Amino acid sequence: MTNQIVYSDEVRDGISLGLPIVALESTIISHGMPYPQNVDTANRLCEIIREGGCVPAIVAIANGKLHMGIDDALLERLSTEEGVLKVSRRDMPVALALGSLGATTVSGTLIAAHLAGVKVFVTGGIGGVHRGAEATMDISADLEELSISNVTVVSAGIKSILDLPKTLEVLETKGVPVIGFKVDELPAFYTRSSGLKLVAKADNASEVALVMKSKWGLGLNGAILVVNPIPKEYEAGAEEIEKAINEAICLASEKGIKGKSVTPFILSHVTEATKGDSLKANIALVENNARVGAKIALEYAKLVL
Ligand code: PSU
Ligand code: MN
């Protein structure tokens, strides 16, 4: 079973030294950002996590193995190759069995983190209920995975390409606490606010760690979603971005884009339409999440020692 997972040297050493591991997804690298910003961002995130006293583990699939931590050569392939598979739970057994090169989504990364006992995972934004899902049934596999994986996911909230209120409803149904990091409103990825009030707020990383201990201590399986708003100075251009999102959603439906291609299509359209403004914001917020994720991982490690 577990011989399908391989650990990088850095991650293996980290585990044996008892250092907290922080997982990172690879779909953001292969499908969420253009080259070379994707590879630079991945390296920067790893650096931030190391500076925070933890060990970074980018999750990806190659040569029939689920990788917990990748080397520079694999990072380069994920950043540059055409046709990297976008891997959620559905795709994982196929990608592993057939030896595909695969980038893991939030759901794929959660599976790896859960299997490896990694408690914190840093990303940009999670998938959720798409606008118009009442007709298309397009609901990200991320939500299902959040309901069963014992991992804390640090995100900048939920991007407004999605239906935010419906996504919060499903998270409630699935028993996933959504915790505002120093805020009591759901951030909307490019902007700090969405107008949607949250029921939980943490003032610091140790409060998040206490919630983790409480949830899993009770035997309640599933994730905790921390929503950490984008830093104020990068919040610019919200209106322009919203306009680009609306255009992209229309364009996607005109072009008949469906299934797992929808999210990457919208993201790349928005990046182009905003001439890179959205990309700069995306990089800033995920770096900010890495800083918070490392703090949470350290606090949790102290609690469960
Ligand atoms: N949301 C973002 N940026 C992303 C994604 C979501 O703001 O890069 C990626 C993540 O990997 C997420 C996936 O898990 O898209 C969700 O895809 P889908 O909607 O097909 O489930
Ligand atoms: Mn989908």
Side-chain angles (χ1 to χ4, degrees), residues 53-203:
C54 301
V55 177
I58 297 177
V59 173
I61 289 173
N63 307 315
K65 299 286 182 197
L66 180 54
H67 292 261
M68 258 289 156
I70 61 175
D71 62 16
D72 289 345
L74 184 50
L75 175 58
E76 192 67 22
R77 290 188 64 197
L78 289 162
S79 305
T80 54
E81 279 190 25
E82 293 284 323
V84 180
L85 276 189
K86 178 182 159 195
V87 179
S88 70
R89 169 178 282 258
R90 175 194 63 183
D91 314 297
M92 189 172 283
V94 182
L96 284 170
L98 303 187
S100 318
L101 180 63
T104 51
T105 63
V106 168
S107 94
T109 310
L110 279 170
I111 292 172
H114 184 74
L115 287 172
V118 170
K119 294 301 179 195
V120 177
F121 159 29
V122 164
T123 185
I126 63 156
V129 181
H130 280 259
R131 299 190 200 168
E134 58 277 25
T136 61
M137 297 286 281
D138 191 350
I139 301 174
S140 177
D142 293 354
L143 297 180
E144 205 59 43
E145 215 58 48
L146 285 164
S147 72
I148 54 179
S149 309
N150 298 350
V151 181
T152 287
V153 179
V154 184
S155 72
I158 304 163
K159 196 174 282 182
S160 61
I161 64 172
L162 300 171
D163 186 320
L164 274 48
K166 286 196 183 76
T167 302
L168 281 184
E169 289 297 341
V170 174
L171 288 166
E172 180 186 358
T173 305
K174 304 274 180 198
V176 178
V178 180
I179 302 184
F181 194 74
K182 302 182 180 173
V183 289
D184 55 14
E185 201 180 304
L186 178 72
F189 200 84
Y190 296 118
T191 53
R192 294 177 60 84
S193 61
S194 63
L196 298 167
K197 277 266 173 289
L198 293 170
V199 292
K201 172 187 175 193
D203 289 322

Side-chain angles (χ1 to χ4, degrees), residues 29 33-39 76 79-80:
I29 302 170
M33 286 183 194
Y35 183 83
Q37 286 91 345
N38 55 0
V39 60
E76 192 67 22
S79 305
T80 54

